[in-house]
Amino acid sequence: MHPANPLTFEGLGVWIASLLTLFIFSFLYKDNPFYKLAEHLFVGISAGYYVMQEWWAVIYPQCVKPVAHGEHLLMIIPGVLGLFLFSRFIPKAGWLSRWSLAIIIGAYAGIKTTGFAQGDLVAQFQASILPLYVPGHLGASINNVLFLAGLLSTLVFFFFSTEHKGAIKGTAQLGVWFLMVSFGAAYGFTVMARVSLLIGRFQYLLDPWLGVTRF
Amino acid sequence: MTSLLVFLAILAAVALVVAFLIRIPSVATTLARMRRLDRRWIFLAVWVLVMVPLLFPLKLPVAPTARAMQYYEQIDRLKAGDIVLLSADFDPAAGPELVPMLKTSIMQLCRKKVRIVGDCLWPGGPPLLEQAFSEVARDTFHYRYGEDYVNLGFKEGREAVMLAMGNSIPGTFPSDFRGTPVSKLPLMGKVTNLRSVKLLVNVSAGYPGTKEWVQQTQSRFNLKIISGCTAVSAPEYYAYLQSGQLLGLLGGMAGAAEYEKMAGVTGAATKGMDAQSSVHLLVMLCILLGNLAHWAARRLGER
């Protein structure tokens, strides 16, 4: 590969993206005007991009266009309710936004509750019913016993209706150990995620920008 | 089991040595002083450990895990002509982790001659999906837009969109990413709702994503789901994998690299794994030294 040519349209884009990446990285040394410039550009362009996405992908094709053609006139109702959300900018009419929020909260509470009941509560409960002894599979048996011990002890840790002392304290303590292991695993995955983002930017700087490929 | 015991034995030996050394005042003072290390030295070390393996690859081995194999096998079981839904629920911020698995998924689907309906529940997703479709499906496998694949683009509404797709996909997405009415796309004539698709391949960076697809559609529409997700999300999704609600899971860049290995490609994830492993070693060292510094400071009576 060759370095990006800033005199071409595509190459210029690569140069701008790469320089903005370096501007952002410069914050690791200390705050500076280049970082501020990149940060402000990011915020402004992102806001504009998302507004246009919402308009062209949702509001125009699903509300404005059909209503303008005299179709799906019921879409006027969500359209007006959406406009009500902006009434908060006018103090005297701000109460109108509560109607929209009431519908959003009510609908989403219903959707989330049924989804949680179907996807998490019932299915996860079923999945936690495991044989403690799997003939011929010692590893699976150990796994299932550990799983059950972790599940029960963690549930005991989060049971606050009785004082944690005696056997309950010991079980809750075991639950804490299982939680610590899960936090450690989550931390490890988080490190991997953040490092991946850094690698992605470095790959961009090395390949499309500088044209250095070594694999 | 043997390797675990060896590891634990080494850990115990190191702990004993450290416990002995930390009693020596000069060692304890040196360690305690590390608490005042300028963090920019750590940034520099990370920079070097990422840059050097990218310039001079170590080519460390990548071994596919059972989770990644399940992901691969679910796609491998599809027949030519089957229709899958590919939901790219992410934006450029998660690109380094998810674009490699998105491209490899499209590649495997194209190899199987499976038809793909793509959608996005994140506003920043459509251009990334379009780019992946163009590079892999159109340019490499000569897939025809509208007949072999479509990009429905973004739709706001999160879980409501998922439920609406369970009733009618063309009703939920009346036009595609380019603004073409879906009634003019031959492939969409064969798609009614989520029951029309053989598999949901979800590439997910968070909310809305895999968790919501499982909660809203898996049991309700009897939908088979596999997920490629960011590493941050992966621990939460293991529960769905264990329960069988997810049939395959790729977690972060490591999952993407495992998948690339099975698919026989050397993509961006494989190329990044040397750097990933190097930085992980540094993080482990920093955790170890940080704890030792804290321990030493306590021994010296510092706060």
Side-chain angles (χ1 to χ4, degrees), chain A residues 59-96:
Chain A
I59 301 168
Y60 181 74
Q62 290 210 303
C63 186
V64 176
K65 191 178 170 187
V67 169
H69 286 86
E71 302 162 0
H72 304 298
L73 293 179
L74 278 176
M75 291 304 291
I76 292 172
I77 297 171
V80 170
L81 284 168
L83 287 174
F84 279 2
L85 284 170
F86 292 96
S87 68
R88 294 174 77 88
F89 292 117
I90 308 161
K92 282 187 180 174
W95 57 274
L96 283 170

Side-chain angles (χ1 to χ4, degrees), chain B residues 128-176:
Chain B
L128 297 171
L129 181 61
E130 184 67 10
Q131 191 180 10
F133 270 144
S134 302
E135 280 180 24
V136 185
R138 188 192 65 195
D139 296 346
T140 309
F141 289 90
H142 309 295
Y143 262 41
R144 289 159 300 178
Y145 187 79
E147 292 181 33
D148 301 316
Y149 77 100
V150 295
N151 180 1
L152 296 175
F154 164 69
K155 191 63 61 186
E156 180 58 73
R158 305 167 192 211
E159 290 99 329
V161 175
M162 297 171 187
L163 289 174
M165 289 173 81
N167 293 324
S168 169
I169 294 176
T172 313
F173 289 88
S175 55
D176 71 354

Side-chain angles (χ1 to χ4, degrees), chain B residues 98-116:
Chain B
L98 300 185
V99 168
M101 55 178 84
L102 176 69
K103 285 184 178 175
T104 314
S105 298
I106 294 174
M107 194 192 73
Q108 196 191 354
L109 289 166
C110 292
R111 280 179 185 168
K112 297 291 296 181
K113 295 184 170 47
V114 170
R115 289 174 291 180
I116 312 166

Side-chain angles (χ1 to χ4, degrees), chain A residues 189 192-193 195-201 203, chain B residues 54 62 94-98 100-101 229-232 250-260 267-277:
Chain A
F189 272 108
M192 183 163 76
V195 174
S196 299
L197 302 186
L198 184 66
I199 291 168
R201 288 326 296 164
Q203 284 178 330
Chain B
L54 287 176
V62 175
E97 288 186 279
L98 300 185
M101 55 178 84
C229 64
T230 51
V232 173
L250 304 176
M253 186 176 268
E258 292 166 17
Y259 183 41
E260 285 177 352
T270 307
K271 291 175 186 172
M273 279 311 289
D274 287 345
Q276 182 77 255
S277 303

Side-chain angles (χ1 to χ4, degrees), chain A residues 3 9 24 29 40 44 56-57 65 81 90 92 99 105-106 119 146 157 172 204:
Chain A
F9 188 69
I24 293 286
Y29 184 68
H40 292 165
W56 288 113
K65 191 178 170 187
L81 284 168
I90 308 161
K92 282 187 180 174
W99 288 7
I105 293 167
L146 273 175
F157 173 73
Y204 188 85

Side-chain angles (χ1 to χ4, degrees), chain B residues 48-68:
Chain B
V48 170
L49 286 174
V50 170
M51 191 63 98
V52 171
L54 287 176
L55 288 170
F56 306 102
L58 307 169
K59 298 194 176 176
L60 297 171
V62 175
T65 57
R67 300 173 293 281

